[in-house]
């Protein structure tokens, strides 16, 4: 039995006497949430710097938490709950990675140049975008990804990251400037190589 299945079968929620969802309804809701948001959560974790070799496990961790807390997830706020959880899971994954003394694990975690299959134009673009994102300061990258890629509001980002909204705005502005500067540097180096 997978960890997700175990979590689904053991999800503690309010009792039926309290007018809450039955276990069967909780499982159906969780399945719907997984089907609708798995790809978004996976992509979000990658953008937050979770290594490709660990992102599947991190995504599963997010949905295990969702399974355990399904009764707490407000209808219409599933995406916010999952992204908040993913943010915390990504931070934990990065801390584990950098606490590791295993240099080989660190080498595997660093994304290298694209594989031959990634030479298609959109693959190269994605690879470049990820690399440029990885070069940003962690705090700026997180705000940039949440706002520009995942479409969260600055207010929601401030709540998720427990930051003043002014700090979120400042990080977003600096992240945009840095991203643009790095992109221009890359574009100029490509032009110079031709």
């Amino acid at each position: 039995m997978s960890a997700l299945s175990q979590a689904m079968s053991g999800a503690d929620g309010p009792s039926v006497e309290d007018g809450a969802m039955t276990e069967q309804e909780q499982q159906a809701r969780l399945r719907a949430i997984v089907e609708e948001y798995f790809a978004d959560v996976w992509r979000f974790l990658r953008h937050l710097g979770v290594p490709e070799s660990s992102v599947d496990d991190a995504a599963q961790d997010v949905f295990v938490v969702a399974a355990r807390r399904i009764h707490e997830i407000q209808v219409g706020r599933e995406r916010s709950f999952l992204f908040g959880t993913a943010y915390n899971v990504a931070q934990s994954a990065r801390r584990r990675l950098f606490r590791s003394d295993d240099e080989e694990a660190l080498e595997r975690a660093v994304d290298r140049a694209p594989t031959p299959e990634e030479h298609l134009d959109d693959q190269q673009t994605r690879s470049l975008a990820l690399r440029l994102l990885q070069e940003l300061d962690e705090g700026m990258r997180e705000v940039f990804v949440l706002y520009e890629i995942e479409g969260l509001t600055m207010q929601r980002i401030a709540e998720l990251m427990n930051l003043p909204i002014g700090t979120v705005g400042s990080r977003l502005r600096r992240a945009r400037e840095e991203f643009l500067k790095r992109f221009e540097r890359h574009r100029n180096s490509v032009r110079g190589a031709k």
Side-chain angles (χ1 to χ4, degrees), residues 180-191:
L180 218 73
K181 183 170 71 175
R182 291 170 193 278
F183 176 75
E184 289 298 324
R185 191 178 317 140
H186 171 77
R187 187 166 59 179
N188 291 337
S189 70
V190 170
R191 285 182 182 161

Side-chain angles (χ1 to χ4, degrees), residues 6-175:
Q6 289 174 345
M8 285 174 56
S9 65
D12 295 327
S15 67
V16 177
E17 292 88 10
D18 297 330
M21 292 188 294
T22 65
E23 185 175 330
Q24 199 171 29
E25 291 169 328
Q26 289 178 5
Q27 289 180 359
R29 182 168 183 227
L30 181 62
R31 275 190 203 90
I33 289 171
V34 171
E35 288 172 8
E36 184 171 350
Y37 296 106
F38 184 84
D40 293 337
V41 167
W42 192 95
R43 186 179 63 250
F44 181 56
L45 289 164
R46 280 294 288 139
H47 290 311
L48 289 178
V50 175
E52 192 169 352
S53 60
S54 303
V55 75
D56 287 333
D57 292 336
Q60 183 175 2
D61 290 346
V62 170
F63 287 101
V64 167
V65 171
R68 289 186 181 136
R69 297 180 57 194
I70 191 74
H71 59 281
E72 297 175 29
I73 303 173
Q74 297 174 4
V75 174
R77 305 266 310 174
E78 295 89 350
R79 187 171 196 258
S80 291
F81 177 89
L82 293 171
F83 277 34
T85 303
Y87 173 77
N88 293 331
V89 167
Q91 284 188 317
S92 295
R94 285 193 306 269
R95 278 194 300 269
R96 279 192 307 271
L97 178 67
F98 292 111
R99 273 196 307 245
S100 171
D101 293 330
D102 185 4
E103 274 187 41
E104 188 176 316
L106 288 174
E107 285 296 317
R108 285 192 311 266
V110 175
D111 286 338
R112 299 286 181 212
T115 65
E117 296 85 34
E118 293 173 325
H119 286 296
L120 297 172
D121 190 43
D122 61 333
Q123 290 289 339
Q124 287 178 335
T125 302
R126 249 180 284 177
S127 178
L128 172 62
L130 280 174
R131 193 174 80 233
L132 293 176
L133 283 172
Q134 293 296 336
E135 292 175 4
L136 293 176
D137 171 72
E138 184 178 322
M140 289 191 304
R141 177 179 63 234
E142 291 165 347
V143 170
F144 185 83
V145 167
L146 287 168
Y147 187 84
E148 296 291 349
I149 298 173
E150 299 304 336
L152 296 181
T153 65
M154 288 194 345
Q155 181 64 42
R156 184 63 186 131
I157 295 168
E159 292 168 7
L160 276 174
M161 297 180 71
N162 198 24
L163 293 172
I165 196 158
T167 301
V168 171
S170 173
R171 286 184 184 182
L172 179 59
R173 180 188 49 76
R174 288 183 313 167

